[in-house]
C-alpha cells in the first residue's frame, strides 16, 4: 500500500474527527441519500386505499354476522384482520422507505408525512369524516333529531323562556321605599335612591357575597329621591328629588351641576330660568349626551344642557282642554330622541316634537282617569308603541300611528306610588310592571304581559311589599326591582344573563380585618409611652420628704362643719343655698310674737346716738313743735259718740 495514501486517509480521518467534535454530529464526506418523492407518495396512496377497502369489507362482514347472532366471532376476526393489515402496512412502508445498499447513518431531510391523494374519487367516497354534533344538513337524520330541533325552536320563539328568574340576589338599601333605580349602559354599576334621602352606589365587579354598597350619600339633603338615571355614556348621573333643582353627579357621587331655581313670583313659567316647584321625573336624551329632561309641579317640562346650568334650554307647557295649566307627573324621550312625552294629572298624555314646543304633536285627552297620577311612560325599542302605567290601576299600550284609543288595556294592577315603573323586554315581546300592596296584606308581584296578545303570561312574587321600580337591562339580560321595604333585588339566569350579578355571587366573602375583630379598643396616651413616662421613685421616704415641702400636698384638710355653716362654708347637711336657709329657719329660736317691740328694740339707742339717717338732716330738719291738749278738748274726747253727733 502506498504510504502517501495512508497518510492522506489518516489526515482526513483526523480532520473529520475534529469537525465532528465541533459541530456535534458526524458523517462528513459520505454520499447523501436521494429520495424519489413521487414513488413514496404513490405507495402511500395505494396503502391508504387498500386499508380503507379492507376496513369497509370487514364492517360489512361484521354487520352480517351480527344479524346472524355471531357477534363475538366477528369481533375476534376483525381484531385479527386489523392486526394483520397493520403488520402488512408496516412491512410495506419499511420496505419502501429503507435502502438495502446503505447501512450507515442517513443524511438529508426527514421523511415526509403520510399524504392522501386528493384527486382520487374512490378514496373520497370511502373515507368520510363523521358529522359534527347538531348537523342538520343531511337529509338522512333521524326523527328524534327533528323532534329535538322543533322543541328548541319552540323554546326560542316562546318569550317566557327568556325571562331570567332562576336566581336572585338582594341588596339592602335601607328600610324605606326604594323609589329610584339606575344602571349604567355597560351594566357595571347600579345606583339606588329612596325615601330615606340616601343614594347608594353598587359595583358588581367590586362586590363580594356580602353585597355591600361602596358609597352612600345624601345629595339633596332632606328631599326624597324620585328618579336616578345614567347618561348614555355612563359618566354622569341625573338625580331628581323632591326639591325644585335637579342635580348631576359623576360616577363617584361628586357634584357636577345643579340646575338653577326659577322665580316663583313670575306668572308665565316660560320667562323663568328654572323650575319653581317640586320635581316629579327626569331622564337623559337617548342620543345627545349633554341634554336631559325634567318635569315639575309648576306645570312645565324643561330641557337642560349639561354645560349651561344658569338657564333651561327649552320649555314645554302642558294644557288642559280649556287651556289651563296642568301638572305633569312623568316624562320621557322617544327612542330616537325626536319626541317628548308627558303624562299629566288630568289623565292626558301629551307628546311634542322636541324642536317645536308650542303645540303638541300627539294628544290623548282620556288616557287615564282624571285626578290619577300617571306614574310611567315607556317607548318600545321599535319606537312605534308607547306604554303608560296609570294611577287608576291600569297598564295601557298606544300606537303612535293611531293615538286616539289604546291598543291594549290591563286592569287590576294596584298602584299606590307616583313612580311605579313599566318597561319592555330587550326583544320587545314582553311588557313588565309591578303591583302595590298594603302592609301585611300580600306580596308584591312582577307581572309580565305578552305585547301582542296582552295576556298575563308570567308572574314573580318578589316580597311582602309593593313593587315600585323595575328595570330590564338589555345587555345584561337581568331584571332589577326596587321594593317598598327598602330592598333592591336583581334577577338573573346563569346561562341567559351576562356579567352583572354573576360577577359578585362567585366571590367569597372577605375576611374581617384584625383591627375590627378586637373585643376592646386600646386607648394609647402619649404619657403612657416609655419616653414620656415619669421615672418611678424607688424610695418612699424621699417621696414623703418632697411631699412635706409641697404646700399643697402638706396642707391639712379642713374638718367638716358641725352645726350652722360659718366662714362661707356650708354645713354637711346640704351643699345648696336653699338647704342651708331652710335649716337655719327651722333652727331659729328668736321670739317675734310682739312685732312692735321687735321694731322699737333699737329706737332709744338710735335717738340717743344717731349714726345713719339723722346726721344727714341735722341742718335741714325742722324742730318738732307739738300743741298741748286743753282740758276742754280732753273732756270732749271723753264724751260718748251719740252726744257728739247730736251737737
Amino acid at each position: 500500500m502506498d504510504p502517501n495514501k495512508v497518510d492522506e486517509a489518516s489526515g482526513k480521518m483526523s480532520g473529520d474527527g475534529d469537525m465532528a467534535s465541533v459541530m456535534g454530529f458526524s458523517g462528513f464526506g459520505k454520499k447523501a441519500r436521494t429520495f424519489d418523492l413521487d414513488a413514496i407518495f404513490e405507495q402511500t396512496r395505494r396503502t391508504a386505499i387498500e386499508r380503507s377497502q379492507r376496513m369497509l369489507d370487514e364492517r360489512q362482514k361484521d354487520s352480517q354476522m351480527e344479524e346472524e347472532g355471531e357477534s363475538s366471532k366477528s369481533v375476534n376476526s376483525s381484531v385479527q384482520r386489523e392486526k394483520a393489515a397493520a403488520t402488512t402496512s408496516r412491512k410495506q412502508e419499511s420496505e419502501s422507505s429503507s435502502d438495502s445498499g446503505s447501512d450507515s447513518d442517513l443524511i438529508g431531510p426527514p421523511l415526509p408525512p403520510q399524504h392522501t391523494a386528493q384527486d382520487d374519487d374512490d378514496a373520497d367516497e370511502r373515507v368520510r369524516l363523521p358529522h359534527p354534533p347538531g348537523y342538520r344538513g343531511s337529509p338522512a337524520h333521524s326523527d328524534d333529531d327533528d323532534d329535538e330541533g322543533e322543541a328548541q325552536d319552540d323554546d326560542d320563539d316562546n318569550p317566557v323562556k327568556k325571562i331570567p328568574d332562576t336566581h336572585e340576589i338582594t341588596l339592602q338599601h335601607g328600610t324605606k321605599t326604594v323609589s329610584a333605580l339606575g344602571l349604567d349602559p355597560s351594566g357595571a354599576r347600579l345606583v339606588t335612591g329612596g325615601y330615606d334621602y340616601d343614594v347608594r352606589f353598587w359595583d358588581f365587579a367590586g362586590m363580594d357575597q356580602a353585597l355591600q354598597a361602596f358609597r352612600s350619600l345624601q345629595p339633596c339633603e332632606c328631599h326624597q329621591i324620585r328618579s336616578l338615571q345614567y347618561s348614555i355614556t355612563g359618566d354622569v348621573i341625573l338625580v331628581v328629588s323632591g326639591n325644585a333643582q335637579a342635580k348631576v353627579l359623576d360616577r363617584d357621587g361628586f357634584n357636577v351641576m345643579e340646575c338653577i331655581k326659577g322665580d316663583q313670583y313670575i306668572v308665565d313659567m316660560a320667562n323663568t330660568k328654572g323650575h319653581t316647584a317640586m320635581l316629579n321625573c327626569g331622564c337623559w336624551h337617548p342620543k345627545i349626551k349633554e341634554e336631559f329632561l325634567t318635569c315639575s309641579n309648576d306645570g312645565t317640562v324643561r330641557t337642560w344642557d349639561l354645560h349651561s346650568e344658569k338657564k333651561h334650554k327649552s320649555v314645554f307647557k302642558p294644557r288642559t282642554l280649556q287651556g289651563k295649566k296642568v301638572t305633569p307627573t312623568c316624562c320621557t324621550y322617544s327612542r330616537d330622541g325626536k319626541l317628548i312625552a308627558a303624562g299629566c294629572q288630568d289623565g292626558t298624555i301629551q307628546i311634542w316634537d322636541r324642536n317645536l314646543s308650542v303645540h303638541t304633536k300627539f294628544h290623548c285627552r282620556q288616557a287615564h282617569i282624571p285626578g290619577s297620577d300617571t306614574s310611567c311612560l315607556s317607548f318600545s325599542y321599535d319606537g312605534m308603541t308607547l306604554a303608560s302605567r296609570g294611577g287608576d290601576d291600569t297598564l295601557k299600550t298606544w300606537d303612535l300611528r293611531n293615538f286616539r284609543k289604546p291598543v291594549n288595556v290591563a286592569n287590576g294592577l294596584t298602584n299606590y306610588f307616583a313612580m311605579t315603573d313599566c318597561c319592555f323586554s330587550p326583544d320587545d315581546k314582553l311588557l313588565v310592571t309591578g303591583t302595590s300592596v298594603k302592609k301585611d296584606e300580600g306580596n308584591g308581584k312582577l307581572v309580565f304581559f305578552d305585547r301582542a296578545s296582552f295576556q298575563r303570561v308570567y308572574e314573580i312574587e318578589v316580597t311582602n311589599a309593593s313593587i315600585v321600580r323595575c328595570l330590564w337591562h338589555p345587555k345584561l339580560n337581568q331584571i332589577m326591582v326596587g321594593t317598598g321595604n327598602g330592598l333592591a333585588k336583581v334577577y338573573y339566569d346563569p346561562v341567559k344573563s351576562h356579567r352583572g350579578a354573576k360577577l359578585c355571587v362567585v366571590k367569597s366573602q372577605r375576611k374581617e380585618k384584625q383591627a375590627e375583630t378586637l373585643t376592646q379598643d386600646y386607648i394609647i396616651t402619649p404619657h403612657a409611652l416609655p419616653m414620656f413616662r415619669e421615672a418611678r421613685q424607688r424610695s418612699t421616704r424621699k417621696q414623703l420628704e418632697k411631699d412635706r415641702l409641697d404646700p399643697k400636698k402638706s396642707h391639712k384638710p379642713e374638718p367638716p362643719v358641725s352645726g350652722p355653716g360659718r366662714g362661707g362654708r356650708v354645713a354637711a347637711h346640704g351643699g345648696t343655698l336653699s338647704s342651708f336657709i331652710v335649716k337655719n329657719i327651722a333652727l331659729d329660736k328668736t321670739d317675734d310674737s310682739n312685732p312692735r317691740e321687735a321694731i322699737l328694740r333699737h329706737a332709744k339707742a338710735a335717738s340717743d346716738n344717731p349714726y345713719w339717717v339723722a346726721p344727714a338732716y341735722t341742718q335741714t330738719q325742722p324742730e318738732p313743735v307739738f300743741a298741748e291738749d286743753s282740758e276742754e278738748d280732753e273732756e270732749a274726747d271723753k264724751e260718748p259718740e251719740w252726744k257728739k253727733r247730736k251737737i
Side-chain angles (χ1 to χ4, degrees), residues 72 141 150 200 238 283 295 318 328 416 449 524 598 638-639:
S72 60
H141 60 274
E150 291 176 359
R200 295 181 182 268
L238 175 63
C283 63
C295 65
Y416 295 148
F449 292 90
I524 301 175
K638 292 180 181 180
E639 289 182 358

Side-chain angles (χ1 to χ4, degrees), residues 10 22 56 116 136 140 264 343 349 382 451 460 482 564 581 622 640-641:
S10 61
V22 173
L56 289 175
T116 305
R136 299 179 183 177
Q264 57 186 350
I349 297 178
D382 58 11
R451 178 184 171 184
I460 299 176
I581 294 174
E641 187 68 24

